[in-house]
């Protein structure tokens, strides 16, 4: 079993409920979505360099685990699996095996963060398995990718009832925000909900005003602190 790995590195978690936690990142290469490229508007993906399936190198489980152990000999840091898209195609199969290995080892040893966090784009089906926690995007109209969303995932999140799971809405404009509220109303969720402004498209202060007025259940503003610290630099 091989996965198409773009990079493995250590930093801090940049957003969501795990923001600021020392974290090991496993970034897969390849994603079929192209978020934000609507009409004359620009692609907003944080990692366009990892979108193509020709990017990255094929690695086996032993190689990935070895790199993670070298970066964190104490096995005490959160592991975040991202992309590209870690649940797409063969990368999805590899992610499941990798997550099972990490969870089994860490749970048995009673180590911190036994289940790796999976950042997924909302197109791919998630699982009930306790071996993973999810940051699941729902792509709104401003992304141009809403038609690809797997609505079954909302029911799976409800059944999981995992306090560490989160749904992320990336907001380009007021219409996106209103659509996010519609989705939450239609798909009532008990999950953490993140609202993030599209970087350089929407002023975060404006999004704060909308959140204060609507006060969605379990909702919170999520800014990407890694961009404030390092800009769009890779590997941070």
């Amino acid at each position: 079993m091989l996965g198409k790995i773009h990079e493995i590195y250590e930093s801090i978690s940049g957003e969501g409920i795990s923001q600021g936690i020392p974290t090991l990142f496993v970034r897969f290469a390849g994603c079929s979505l192209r978020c934000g490229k609507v009409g004359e508007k620009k692609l907003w993906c944080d990692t366009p360099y990892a979108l193509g399936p020709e990017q990255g190198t094929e690695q086996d489980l032993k190689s990935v685990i070895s790199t993670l152990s070298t970066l964190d000999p104490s096995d005490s840091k959160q592991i975040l699996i991202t992309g590209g898209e870690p649940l797409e195609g063969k990368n999805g199969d590899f992610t499941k095996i990798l997550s099972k290995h990490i969870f089994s080892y860490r749970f048995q040893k009673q180590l911190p963060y036994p289940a790796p966090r999976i950042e997924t784009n909302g197109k791919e089906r998630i699982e009930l398995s306790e071996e993973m926690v999810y940051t699941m995007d729902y792509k709104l109209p401003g992304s141009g990718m809403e038609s690809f969303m797997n609505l079954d995932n909302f029911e799976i999140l409800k059944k999981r009832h995992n306090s560490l799971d989160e749904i992320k809405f990336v907001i380009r404009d007021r219409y996106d925000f209103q659509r996010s509220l519609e989705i939450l109303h239609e798909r009532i969720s008990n999950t953490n909900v993140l609202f993030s402004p599209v970087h350089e498209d929407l002023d975060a202060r404006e999004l704060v005003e909308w959140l204060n007025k609507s006060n969605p259940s379990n909702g919170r503003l999520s800014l990407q602190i890694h961009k404030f610290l390092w800009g769009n630099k890779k590997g941070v």
Side-chain angles (χ1 to χ4, degrees):
M1 175 67 67
L2 299 173
K4 205 66 176 298
I5 308 296
H6 191 278
E7 56 187 343
I8 302 175
Y9 62 97
E10 59 182 343
S11 186
I12 59 168
S13 178
E15 56 190 312
I17 63 173
S18 68
Q19 186 179 74
I21 294 175
T23 298
L24 301 181
F25 290 80
V26 179
R27 184 179 305 285
F28 283 87
C31 179
S32 60
L33 301 186
R34 294 294 181 269
C35 298
K37 199 167 179 58
V38 181
E40 298 299 317
K41 295 186 177 180
K42 64 181 180 181
L43 183 77
W44 74 44
C45 180
D46 290 341
T47 55
Y49 52 84
L51 291 180
E54 72 282 358
Q55 303 298 320
T57 58
E58 290 191 332
Q59 296 187 34
D60 60 16
L61 181 65
K62 183 178 179 180
S63 173
V64 173
I65 294 298
S66 176
T67 302
L68 292 172
S69 297
T70 299
L71 290 172
D72 179 27
S74 66
D75 297 314
S76 61
K77 294 181 178 179
Q78 174 184 232
I79 294 177
L80 193 154
I81 301 175
T82 186
E85 171 49 48
L87 297 183
E88 190 172 278
K90 292 182 179 179
N91 283 344
D93 297 331
F94 189 91
T95 292
K96 293 169 189 174
I97 293 172
L98 175 61
S99 298
K100 182 176 182 178
H101 177 92
I102 292 168
F103 180 83
S104 177
Y105 175 79
R106 291 190 167 206
F107 185 79
Q108 182 180 13
K109 297 287 186 181
Q110 297 184 319
L111 294 168
Y113 313 111
R117 177 171 292 281
I118 313 299
E119 287 189 338
T120 183
N121 62 20
K123 177 185 175 184
E124 308 302 325
R125 185 179 179 86
I126 63 174
E127 296 192 346
L128 286 169
S129 171
E130 64 178 353
E131 295 163 353
M132 297 173 267
V133 296
Y134 291 103
T135 298
M136 188 194 83
D137 277 24
Y138 182 88
K139 305 299 185 185
L140 296 162
S143 72
M145 299 290 118
E146 187 176 15
S147 63
F148 293 99
M149 294 297 94
N150 188 333
L151 296 178
D152 291 343
N153 283 338
F154 284 92
E155 294 304 314
I156 297 171
L157 284 173
K158 286 181 190 177
K159 292 177 182 177
R160 284 174 55 80
H161 200 66
N162 190 315
S163 63
L164 297 178
D165 288 340
E166 53 192 12
I167 299 168
K168 182 172 72 172
F169 294 108
V170 179
I171 311 293
R172 178 168 244 167
D173 51 30
R174 180 72 186 191
Y175 183 72
D176 270 0
F177 183 70
Q178 289 302 127
R179 179 58 180 153
S180 72
L181 298 183
E182 290 175 4
I183 291 295
L184 291 175
H185 178 72
E186 295 168 1
R187 306 282 169 178
I188 301 172
S189 174
N190 52 9
T191 308
N192 301 294
V193 182
L194 312 176
F195 295 86
S196 298
V198 175
H199 189 61
E200 296 182 342
D201 269 24
L202 177 64
D203 189 329
R205 291 169 293 188
E206 192 168 7
L207 180 54
V208 168
E209 292 180 7
W210 301 342
L211 285 170
N212 275 329
K213 289 180 181 178
S214 60
N215 192 26
S217 178
N218 299 323
R220 68 180 75 193
L221 178 72
S222 178
L223 300 179
Q224 297 176 304
I225 60 172
H226 50 286
K227 289 188 176 179
F228 290 95
L229 293 171
W230 299 293
N232 286 320
K233 184 179 178 181
K234 297 181 184 179
V236 293

